[in-house]
Amino acid sequence: MNMPMLLPHPHQHFLKGLLRAPFRWYHFIFHSSTHLGSGIPCAQPFNSLGLHCTKWMLLSNGLKRKLCVQTTLKDHTEGLSDKEQRFVDKLYSGLIQGQRACLAEAITLVESTHSRKKELAQVLLQKVLLYHREQEQSNRGKPLAFRVGLSGPPGAGKSTFIEYFGKMLTERGHKLSVLAVDPSSCTSGGSLLGDKTRMTELSRDMNAYIRPSPTRGTLGGVTRTTNEAILLCEGAGYDIILIETVGVGQSEFAVADMVDMFVLLLPPAGGDELQGIKRGIIEMADLVAVTKSDGDLIVPARRIQAEYVSALKLLRKRSQVWKPKVIRISARSGEGISEMWDKMKDFQNLMLASGELTAKRRKQQKVWMWNLIQESVLEHFRTHPTVREQIPLLEQKVLTGALSPGLAADFLLKAFKSGDY
């Protein structure tokens, strides 16, 4: 069995402790420390894109190194059939030409859970990474796009704001991509995906692309493949990426590890400054916008703005060059939105000039890597034949009270690591 993982450097502690099964082969791609401008990790370049590749055989008595080779992107496409190669080439060509249909199909491919489609998605992503690197080099190493995360509680007016804000940006010559994340039902597993229907004007704009996606149980307010979708949108030429998360509470702020700037939208009835301190999400915000500041809500909005300004003073400073701001906006009247964009540009320029933006993106690559590792290891564990057989039995024992959940989990993990079933 092959389990591909993208690692920015060999991590011996991880490899030595990983799943010591006596019969499994794993294939790891080790990226070197070279970075693509804004922090996308890549291997040392040779033949356009080099990947240091090592095969390891995991034995019950430890980890043995089997073979060390150097390979290129071409070697990873050799296993594709002619039909699959044409399919990937068609998506890639259409994507870099800015064709929205190809972008939509590419995102659908990376969202797929089918094992073969996952492999095709990785080939496509490698090609887009190479193209992304070339474009950043021609841009003197500066990021190609400004990534902005938008979050807030349900009813804060996120979709209404995005429509007005997006139309303003496209009228100024920008290409905007909106990745709208909707929660999936815990009962049926379905998702409404209704954000696009609330952005009727923006969805008809040819310089804007709106992609609603379900969380499918992923925590943190984003989807499993949000990072990949961001990369594909940038490859398609979109220079502003907005990620609208699901309605959040106190801890769902995973989007902050994916974007350059994290914007929190709050309704006028957002609570006092004590609530602001309690909410861990406030600590991650680079800009707080109090929405619906019009009509009878202007006075409450001003009060909330003052209270959150006080709350932010009590929080630890995260940047040496930027202090989080609290502003009031109205998507109905347009008040404050142009000024909000000016502050967002100031943030981008300051962070880029200080080098903090590059460092932030590099850190985000590390978070992305470990998220992929956790997902792959958990999927491998759950789909192992023997473990899959034992899970229903242990679940039944837990339900009857014969075994505690902790003992059941400990039994499976110990048996899996030792290979003794």
Side-chain angles (χ1 to χ4, degrees), residues 71-87:
T71 184
T72 63
L73 179 60
K74 181 179 179 181
D75 297 314
H76 292 279
T77 61
E78 287 180 351
L80 303 183
S81 66
D82 292 340
K83 182 179 180 181
E84 290 172 335
Q85 186 63 61
R86 289 195 300 271
F87 173 68

Side-chain angles (χ1 to χ4, degrees), residues 139-377:
N139 196 36
R140 295 179 296 179
K142 295 182 180 179
L144 298 174
F146 186 31
R147 306 169 184 173
V148 180
L150 292 174
S151 198
K158 296 187 291 294
S159 298
T160 306
F161 163 75
I162 289 176
E163 168 138 74
Y164 189 99
F165 185 62
K167 289 295 295 181
M168 182 190 74
L169 293 178
T170 57
E171 289 172 0
R172 296 186 181 186
H174 293 284
K175 290 193 67 176
L176 172 72
S177 176
V178 180
L179 303 176
V181 182
D182 263 10
S184 296
S185 170
C186 297
T187 305
S188 65
S191 183
L192 288 177
L193 302 179
D195 288 319
K196 191 173 182 177
T197 64
R198 295 198 292 266
M199 306 178 196
T200 53
E201 292 296 325
L202 188 61
S203 62
R204 291 195 291 263
D205 194 321
M206 294 307 296
N207 288 320
Y209 173 75
I210 305 174
R211 172 73 182 209
S213 297
T215 59
R216 293 195 178 105
T218 303
L219 301 178
V222 294
T223 73
R224 177 180 59 86
T225 56
T226 300
N227 276 310
E228 287 85 346
I230 292 173
L231 176 64
L232 293 174
C233 289
E234 292 184 6
Y238 292 91
D239 62 334
I240 299 177
I241 315 294
L242 294 182
I243 300 96
E244 178 196 359
T245 72
V246 301
V248 296
Q250 294 183 346
S251 61
E252 297 89 345
F253 45 79
V255 70
D257 288 324
M258 302 177 179
V259 296
D260 303 328
M261 186 177 195
F262 182 42
V263 178
L264 180 62
L265 302 180
L266 295 174
D272 58 18
E273 66 271 17
L274 180 59
Q275 285 295 103
I277 298 170
K278 283 171 58 181
R279 291 179 178 176
I281 195 169
I282 296 292
E283 298 177 342
M284 308 302 296
D286 300 302
L287 183 65
V288 178
V290 182
T291 60
K292 305 179 182 180
S293 179
D294 51 52
D296 295 337
L297 294 177
I298 290 181
V299 174
R302 287 175 178 170
R303 185 183 70 252
I304 294 298
Q305 180 186 21
E307 290 175 347
Y308 273 88
V309 168
S310 300
L312 287 173
K313 292 179 181 178
L314 303 177
L315 300 179
R316 181 178 299 177
K317 189 175 181 180
R318 294 185 300 111
S319 171
Q320 298 298 321
V321 297
W322 177 260
K323 181 180 179 181
K325 307 290 193 302
V326 183
I327 61 174
R328 290 182 296 109
I329 61 171
S330 170
R332 186 171 71 177
S333 66
E335 180 185 355
I337 293 185
S338 180
E339 292 78 6
M340 179 179 179
W341 173 238
D342 292 336
K343 292 186 183 298
M344 293 169 70
K345 288 191 297 182
D346 290 341
F347 171 87
Q348 183 187 27
N349 293 333
L350 286 172
M351 294 291 283
L352 190 59
S354 67
E356 289 188 27
L357 183 58
T358 300
K360 187 175 185 179
R361 287 203 175 187
R362 288 178 177 175
K363 182 180 178 181
Q364 289 172 354
Q365 295 299 314
K366 183 178 179 180
V367 174
W368 183 5
M369 175 194 77
W370 282 105
N371 288 340
L372 290 174
I373 290 173
Q374 292 174 6
E375 177 188 337
S376 298
V377 171

